[in-house]
Amino acid sequence: MRPMLDDIELPQVQEILTHHVRRLAEHKPPGMAGSLLQNLGRKPGGIVVWGFALGDNARDFLETLSERFKAGAPVPFTSDIVADANLDRVVIDDLRWEEVAGKPERYAYLLTLREYIEPTAPAETSAIDAETLDEAAGLMEDMIDAIDLLPLFDTGLEQFVQPMTQFLEQLQTLSDESP
């Protein structure tokens, strides 16, 4: 079975390389000789495929690959050679191709594929419980009601400006007269 990228058959594949990297964290506890290793899982696996496309359809093949690369969407990948790698869906990380000199309609291509891992949805957690949230919403409603009353309060104080001014003038006079 030839390697397939979505519905595109990869012609004349010369080599397929896979790479996997496991992430380990080393912890050195105080007062202890040696260290502990923590397995943090693995990074997404990768595949590098290179081969040749030749003939009248070679240019169409490369344009189709280029469109899939630009789309950046995950696509299925099948190959009997890397079946044990369990890389079912991949994203085209890099695509390179060049015309082979001296050979008409012959192109060398290099595909770098990265394993696509479906992102997990974030858990629905809230640091604020429903009761506290309801209380805060009630307080906000009270504040909005109070803000609506501010124009009435401002215009209601105008009647006190004249008497308060006279009162302050009397206080200043009394303070100036006292020893």
Side-chain angles (χ1 to χ4, degrees), residues 156-171:
L157 290 177
E158 291 174 352
Q159 62 185 343
F160 298 105
V161 172
Q162 182 63 32
M164 289 302 285
T165 305
Q166 292 173 353
F167 179 69
L168 283 174
E169 288 174 356
Q170 289 175 357
L171 280 177

Side-chain angles (χ1 to χ4, degrees), residues 19-126:
H19 56 89
H20 300 277
V21 177
R22 178 146 313 275
R23 295 183 298 177
L24 298 173
E26 182 179 10
H27 303 285
K28 296 183 180 186
M32 188 175 160
S35 60
L36 301 171
L37 294 177
Q38 179 184 9
N39 184 1
L40 300 174
R42 64 178 178 82
K43 292 184 176 182
I47 300 174
V48 176
V49 179
W50 74 272
F52 294 100
L54 44 108
D56 297 334
N57 297 333
R59 190 75 168 169
D60 295 336
F61 162 75
L62 293 171
E63 287 175 8
T64 305
L65 271 182
S66 183
E67 288 171 7
R68 300 287 164 87
F69 171 63
K70 289 176 186 174
V75 293
F77 177 75
T78 55
S79 172
D80 57 351
I81 296 172
V82 293
D84 292 337
N86 291 331
L87 300 176
D88 298 327
R89 295 185 71 192
V90 296
V91 174
I92 302 173
D93 235 5
D94 192 21
L95 169 64
R96 298 177 189 195
W97 57 273
E98 62 183 30
E99 191 168 6
V100 177
K103 305 280 185 177
E105 299 296 322
R106 184 171 176 159
Y107 300 91
Y109 65 90
L110 176 75
L111 274 172
T112 305
L113 309 172
R114 181 177 30 90
E115 178 182 15
Y116 176 75
I117 300 173
E118 189 75 35
T120 57
E124 287 292 326
T125 59
S126 176

